[in-house]
């Protein structure tokens, strides 16, 4: 019997294959900041919580956040095989090494945590930080989530990323020496973005052999500089149809082995300004699936 071809290399299947059980992520706010915010307003799309939960500023330390995360997941799901501690907010390598060690070591207090995921910028890594991350591979699967967003220098400048493509390439080369699962964060939905733009991005990531990709839709979040641009009429969000077309083109040109960690962005509750359609995350995912099926296509079909 012919095996049914998978449309894309989804995260849930990958995690199940790695851990042999269902694991869930707990997002953590370690109360750090980000060099891009200290030097200015930060990335155009970033809100005042550093794209995270803001829990540290509400008085919840890392241990408490993990406990709350575990309790919340237990209420939601019956069968849980373990957790991945995801340091998400701001730039999680932007602090003295002792602080990073203290932050990340909190996970050792929890027997059910099986993975450590660190979200950061490509220009905030060095050998010492990577060596520290490596000490966690003794017991944990370690994920490194690196923000690239786009390889279009014009867009990089417009969103005020504060780094270029070169820094991303250097960070990948440095990190590849370790046994980390490296995830590139990218944004789709820039004004005027074409299929060629996302195809070039997919080819670039494929040639660098990153292990995973997280796609964010460029949406307008409350209290982000982009909100101002949006109300001034300087930013028009991508339509749902165009977004689906761009994501499908990206997937078709992305190496089959790369794990898809996310296919669209989802704003925190009450945080979304535009586009409204992005709140229908399940519907957008269905549109992407249906488009690939209609085209008789799948991830990596046009990669080489
Ligand atoms: S690098 Fe991250 S935390 Fe810093 S401004 Fe950009 S999106 Fe926000």
């Amino acid at each position: 019997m012919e095996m049914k071809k998978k449309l894309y290399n989804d995260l849930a299947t990958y995690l199940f294959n790695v851990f042999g059980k269902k694991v869930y992520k707990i997002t953590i706010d370690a109360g750090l900041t980000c060099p891009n915010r200290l030097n200015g307003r930060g990335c155009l799309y970033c809100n005042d919580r550093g794209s995270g939960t803001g829990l540290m500023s509400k008085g919840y330390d890392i241990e408490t956040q993990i406990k709350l995360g575990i309790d919340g997941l237990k209420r939601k799901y019956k069968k849980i095989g373990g957790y991945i501690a995801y340091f998400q907010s701001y730039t999680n390598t932007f602090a003295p090494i002792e602080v990073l060690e203290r932050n990340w070591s909190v996970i050792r207090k929890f027997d059910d945590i099986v993975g450590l995921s660190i979200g950061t910028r490509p220009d905030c890594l060095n050998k010492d930080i990577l060596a520290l991350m490596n000490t966690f591979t003794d017991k944990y699967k370690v994920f490194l989530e690196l923000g690239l967003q786009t390889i279009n220098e014009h867009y990089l400048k417009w969103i005020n990323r504060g780094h270029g493509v070169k820094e991303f390439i250097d960070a990948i080369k440095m990190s590849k020496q370790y046994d980390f699962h490296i995830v590139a964060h990218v944004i789709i939905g820039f004004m005027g973005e074409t299929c060629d733009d996302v195809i070039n991005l997919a080819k670039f990531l494929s040639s660098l052999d990153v292990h995973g990709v997280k796609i964010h839709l460029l949406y307008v979040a409350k209290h982000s500089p982009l909100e101002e641009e949006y109300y001034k009429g300087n930013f028009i969000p991508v339509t749902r149809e165009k977004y689906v077309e761009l994501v499908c083109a990206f997937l078709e040109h992305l190496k089959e082995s790369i794990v898809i960690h996310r296919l669209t962005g989802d704003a925190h509750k009450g945080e979304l300004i535009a586009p409204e359609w992005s709140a229908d995350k399940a519907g957008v995912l269905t549109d992407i699936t249906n488009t690939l099926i209609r085209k008789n296509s799948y991830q990596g079909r046009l990669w080489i």
Side-chain angles (χ1 to χ4, degrees):
M1 195 176 75
E2 200 187 323
M3 287 284 285
K4 213 173 150 210
K5 183 101 192 142
K6 276 188 83 168
L7 295 177
Y8 56 88
N9 190 2
D10 67 287
L11 180 64
T13 306
Y14 167 77
L15 291 178
F16 193 82
N17 289 340
V18 169
F19 296 105
K21 49 195 179 182
K22 233 172 168 186
V23 301
Y24 294 88
K25 266 188 185 181
I26 298 169
T27 52
I28 297 166
D29 176 350
L32 302 182
T33 182
C34 162
N36 208 27
R37 300 183 74 88
L38 292 183
N39 297 334
R41 293 183 71 189
C43 300
L44 196 65
Y45 52 85
C46 184
N47 65 11
D48 45 2
R49 295 204 307 262
S51 303
T53 60
L55 278 176
M56 184 63 89
S57 62
K58 290 181 189 152
Y60 299 95
D61 64 14
I62 294 173
E63 191 171 338
T64 309
Q65 289 181 46
I66 294 175
K67 282 181 187 156
L68 287 173
I70 289 176
D71 289 349
L73 286 166
K74 278 187 175 164
R75 277 197 299 275
K76 213 167 159 192
Y77 303 106
K78 276 197 182 126
K79 266 193 164 180
I80 298 180
Y83 307 96
I84 296 172
Y86 174 33
F87 288 78
Q88 177 194 36
S89 312
Y90 299 106
T91 299
N92 287 286
T93 54
F94 187 58
I97 198 95
E98 311 75 50
V99 174
L100 301 181
E101 183 164 20
R102 199 167 59 229
N103 287 349
W104 303 343
S105 295
V106 177
I107 69 169
R108 295 197 185 275
K109 297 183 181 178
F110 297 86
D111 290 340
D112 291 344
I113 293 186
V114 293
L116 170 67
S117 183
I118 306 295
T120 191
R121 294 169 54 86
D123 55 356
C124 286
L125 282 178
N126 60 40
K127 280 185 182 158
D128 292 343
I129 291 169
L130 292 170
L132 174 64
M133 283 178 65
N134 195 40
T135 62
F136 286 85
T137 56
D138 62 340
K139 196 172 165 215
Y140 305 95
K141 176 84 188 164
V142 175
F143 299 79
L144 172 61
E145 305 212 12
L146 276 180
L148 165 67
Q149 316 312 354
T150 171
I151 53 170
N152 180 317
E153 295 284 352
H154 165 74
Y155 292 146
L156 273 176
K157 207 167 166 209
W158 178 68
I159 58 174
N160 191 37
R161 267 306 283 180
H163 67 73
V165 177
K166 185 188 172 300
E167 284 82 354
F168 182 80
I169 296 172
D170 291 346
I172 294 287
K173 280 186 188 156
M174 241 197 303
S175 316
K176 277 268 178 150
Q177 295 166 34
Y178 300 91
D179 187 22
F180 305 147
H181 178 97
I182 304 169
V183 186
H185 285 222
V186 299
I187 287 176
I188 291 182
F190 291 97
M191 268 173 77
E193 194 167 34
T194 63
C195 282
D196 279 348
D197 285 323
V198 296
I199 289 168
N200 288 338
L201 179 60
K203 287 182 175 171
F204 170 80
L205 294 170
S206 301
S207 63
L208 276 182
D209 239 341
V210 299
H211 306 113
V213 171
K214 204 179 242 185
I215 306 172
H216 299 261
L217 157 72
L218 186 57
Y219 62 79
V220 184
K222 252 183 206 165
H223 309 305
S224 66
L226 188 57
E227 183 182 9
E228 236 177 273
E229 294 303 307
Y230 174 69
Y231 286 127
K232 277 189 209 156
N234 294 335
F235 174 66
I236 300 166
V238 67
T239 63
R240 179 171 174 148
E241 295 68 29
K242 186 70 189 175
Y243 184 73
V244 170
E245 183 192 345
L246 291 171
V247 169
C248 290
F250 177 83
L251 288 175
E252 287 174 314
H253 292 83
L254 190 73
K255 224 174 175 178
E256 212 173 346
S257 59
I258 297 177
V259 180
I260 306 301
H261 285 241
R262 183 187 282 173
L263 280 175
T264 184
D266 47 346
H268 287 277
K269 224 173 167 220
E271 199 179 76
L272 179 69
I273 301 283
E276 266 179 42
W277 60 260
S278 68
D280 176 23
K281 195 180 167 192
V284 176
L285 294 180
T286 304
D287 287 357
I288 293 168
T289 301
N290 288 343
T291 303
L292 288 172
I293 292 171
R294 199 173 51 245
K295 290 174 78 181
N296 202 13
S297 198
Y298 47 85
Q299 179 182 346
R301 187 174 69 88
L302 301 170
W303 146 236
I304 31 176

